[in-house]
Amino acid sequence: MENKVVSPGEWRAQRIELLKKEKEFSKLRDELSHERRALPWVKLDKPYRFTTSEGEKSLAELFGSNSQLVVYHFMFGPQSENPCKMCSFWADNFDGLSGHLHQRDTTFLAISRGQLEKLQAFKQRMGWTFEWVSSMNSDFNTDFHVTLPGGQTNEYNYKKFEMEKDVERPGISVFYKNENDTVYHTYSCYGRELETFNTVYRYLDIVPKGRDEAELPFSMAWVDYHDQYEQ
């Protein structure tokens, strides 16, 4: 594939026109971020429990010393031998986040329903360092619409539908904890909105071929665990 070839002057003129749209998009993104932060909160009263490398913890304890918590809902169910390749693709972006987020009063971690031992083993294989905990013995995943039980009406990405069997789905949820350790749910997103948080896609979107997924059986058919790619 080749685009039209022009002089540097013509390229610069067209680039400046595109820059106007980029600035409009940046302004809209700032407005959208403000509206996300302005959403009302939901107080959480259910006593969720999680299995961590430091023992069992409550949701409030997962915050550590911070008042804000970001959770990536990682698809790795208790019956699965390996986690979702797509979630692993996202997880390759996680290392390095925690130190920076901690400086802004924010804790980041991933949560799955799989056994902690399986999470830790796969984390070691991938060389990841982010915190990853198990919600296996709680309703956390179903309450936040990322585990969809079969044989009933479920909701994912704010739409309801029937599932024939249990299904895991990805998502991101945000929580706030006040000085009394009361926890509030402030935001969740699913589906394509998750692309906002994937650095690889952000770079692919600016190269000439883009994501180059049009001819694939499905858009992410090329994704694999990072230790399985042929160099």
Side-chain angles (χ1 to χ4, degrees):
M1 56 155 284
E2 285 190 13
N3 285 18
K4 179 182 178 182
V5 177
V6 298
S7 68
E10 186 175 347
W11 182 91
R12 184 173 184 277
Q14 292 192 35
R15 179 65 187 92
I16 289 173
E17 285 301 307
L18 180 60
L19 180 60
K20 295 177 182 178
K21 290 187 176 181
E22 289 178 336
K23 289 185 175 182
E24 290 174 3
F25 179 78
S26 294
K27 182 179 179 181
L28 288 173
R29 182 176 56 204
D30 289 343
E31 292 174 358
L32 178 60
S33 295
H34 174 77
E35 290 185 25
R36 285 169 170 160
R37 295 191 299 271
L39 280 171
W41 297 352
V42 176
K43 181 182 176 183
L44 300 182
D45 295 315
K46 187 176 288 189
Y48 298 113
R49 304 297 296 179
F50 304 88
T51 307
T52 82
S53 59
E54 298 176 343
E56 190 173 280
K57 291 186 178 183
S58 66
L59 181 58
E61 289 172 324
L62 293 182
F63 285 72
S65 61
N66 297 317
S67 69
Q68 301 175 121
L69 174 67
V70 177
V71 167
Y72 181 85
H73 300 287
F74 200 125
M75 295 168 61
F76 196 171
Q79 307 306 319
S80 302
E81 289 304 314
N82 291 297
C84 168
K85 290 182 178 180
M86 289 70 172
C87 284
S88 299
F89 175 40
W90 259 257
D92 284 332
N93 295 267
F94 296 165
D95 278 346
L97 288 177
S98 294
H100 297 292
L101 290 173
H102 182 71
Q103 297 303 310
R104 307 314 300 157
D105 193 27
T106 303
T107 297
F108 175 89
L109 51 80
I111 296 179
S112 299
R113 280 204 311 141
Q115 297 91 336
L116 182 65
E117 294 76 14
K118 286 187 176 181
L119 308 187
Q120 291 177 325
F122 194 79
K123 176 179 168 179
Q124 182 176 17
R125 170 185 160 182
M126 293 289 101
W128 294 331
T129 61
F130 60 86
E131 184 71 13
W132 194 1
V133 307
S134 173
S135 60
M136 185 176 180
N137 297 315
S138 81
D139 296 329
F140 184 78
N141 278 45
T142 51
D143 287 353
F144 288 92
H145 308 291
V146 289
T147 293
L148 314 179
Q152 66 181 59
T153 300
N154 289 283
E155 178 179 297
Y156 182 69
N157 203 15
Y158 307 101
K159 293 182 180 180
K160 295 189 176 183
F161 48 87
E162 300 286 335
M163 300 298 302
E164 294 183 1
K165 59 181 181 179
D166 291 1
V167 173
E168 303 288 324
R169 287 288 183 263
I172 293 173
S173 291
V174 182
F175 305 91
Y176 179 82
K177 181 181 71 173
N178 68 14
E179 62 277 4
N180 298 317
D181 282 348
T182 302
V183 177
Y184 302 88
H185 174 221
T186 69
Y187 181 75
S188 285
C189 67
Y190 313 91
R192 288 204 63 185
E193 187 53 41
L194 299 179
E195 293 178 7
T196 304
F197 306 92
N198 190 303
T199 307
V200 175
Y201 270 153
R202 298 284 69 80
Y203 281 105
L204 287 179
D205 285 343
I206 64 171
V207 298
K209 287 186 177 181
R211 302 185 188 186
D212 199 21
E213 297 174 334
E215 302 302 320
L216 299 178
F218 60 95
S219 62
M220 299 185 72
W222 63 274
V223 172
D224 205 345
Y225 304 127
H226 67 239
D227 63 352
Q228 297 298 303
Y229 290 126
E230 294 182 5
Q231 300 299 322

